[in-house]
């Protein structure tokens, strides 16, 4: 088997976002009213490249040409910048105004999130498909 990481997630967007959703399930359950709302916000941020799981920070792991995992990592400085960009994108798109309570839950979640130093390396997300678990793929 030939596994490789790539930032070219476009051919695998649905698989990539499904893995990202699984990796972020506790956060999503706390912040969003339902999966449809989570998907709307996550897609907006992903396609506007305003989130920490968009390439180049996010990469998909392929086995041959089949998605088997994803990872998103960046420096603390990059994380600060991308979170600010995401907040501005949500405001610009009117998402916060459209969903009462979302702003408060986002702020509460932000208070609990790790705040790495600028030079720190931050592993934001990692997910492996169910059929790859226990086989060392995540390592």
């Amino acid at each position: 088997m030939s596994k490789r990481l790539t930032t070219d997630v476009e051919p695998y967007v649905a698989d990539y976002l499904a893995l990202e959703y699984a990796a972020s399930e506790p956060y999503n359950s706390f912040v969003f009213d339902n999966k449809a709302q989570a998907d709307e916000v996550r897609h907006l941020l992903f396609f506007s490249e305003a989130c920490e799981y968009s390439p180049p920070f996010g990469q998909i792991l392929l086995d041959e040409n089949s998605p088997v995992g994803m990872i998103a990592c960046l420096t603390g400085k990059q994380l600060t910048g991308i979170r600010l960009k995401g907040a501005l994108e949500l405001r610009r798109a009117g998402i916060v105004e459209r969903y009462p309570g979302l702003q408060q839950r986002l702020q509460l979640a932000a208070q609990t999130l790790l705040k790495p130093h600028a030079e720190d390396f931050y592993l934001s997300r990692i997910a492996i498909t169910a059929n790859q678990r226990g086989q060392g793929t995540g390592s």
Side-chain angles (χ1 to χ4, degrees), residues 54-66:
S54 291
F57 312 122
Q59 298 181 44
I60 192 161
L61 179 64
L62 301 174
D63 185 358
E64 301 301 324
N65 283 322
S66 297

Side-chain angles (χ1 to χ4, degrees), residues 33-80:
D33 292 333
N34 52 53
K35 187 170 183 328
Q37 185 184 74
D39 285 345
E40 178 185 356
V41 171
R42 292 172 46 253
H43 283 85
L44 170 72
L45 293 174
F46 178 78
F47 289 109
S48 63
E49 299 177 349
C51 60
E52 57 205 69
Y53 52 90
S54 291
F57 312 122
Q59 298 181 44
I60 192 161
L61 179 64
L62 301 174
D63 185 358
E64 301 301 324
N65 283 322
S66 297
V68 295
M70 67 80 63
I71 190 167
C73 43
L74 57 167
T75 67
K77 182 177 180 179
Q78 291 168 323
L79 180 66
T80 299

Side-chain angles (χ1 to χ4, degrees), residues 39-132:
D39 285 345
E40 178 185 356
V41 171
R42 292 172 46 253
H43 283 85
L44 170 72
L45 293 174
F46 178 78
F47 289 109
S48 63
E49 299 177 349
C51 60
E52 57 205 69
Y53 52 90
S54 291
F57 312 122
Q59 298 181 44
I60 192 161
L61 179 64
L62 301 174
D63 185 358
E64 301 301 324
N65 283 322
S66 297
V68 295
M70 67 80 63
I71 190 167
C73 43
L74 57 167
T75 67
K77 182 177 180 179
Q78 291 168 323
L79 180 66
T80 299
I82 203 69
R83 284 184 177 166
L84 178 59
K85 183 178 178 182
L88 293 171
E89 184 63 28
L90 291 177
R91 184 69 65 192
R92 186 198 62 73
I95 296 289
V96 175
E97 294 78 17
R98 193 171 342 137
Y99 296 115
L102 180 61
Q103 176 79 30
Q104 181 183 13
R105 291 189 306 273
L106 284 167
Q107 287 173 338
L108 288 170
Q111 291 171 5
T112 66
L113 293 174
L114 184 64
K115 293 166 184 65
H117 296 284
E119 66 280 357
D120 289 346
F121 190 72
Y122 179 72
L123 175 60
S124 172
R125 289 163 178 73
I126 186 169
I128 301 297
T129 58
N131 65 343
Q132 290 289 309

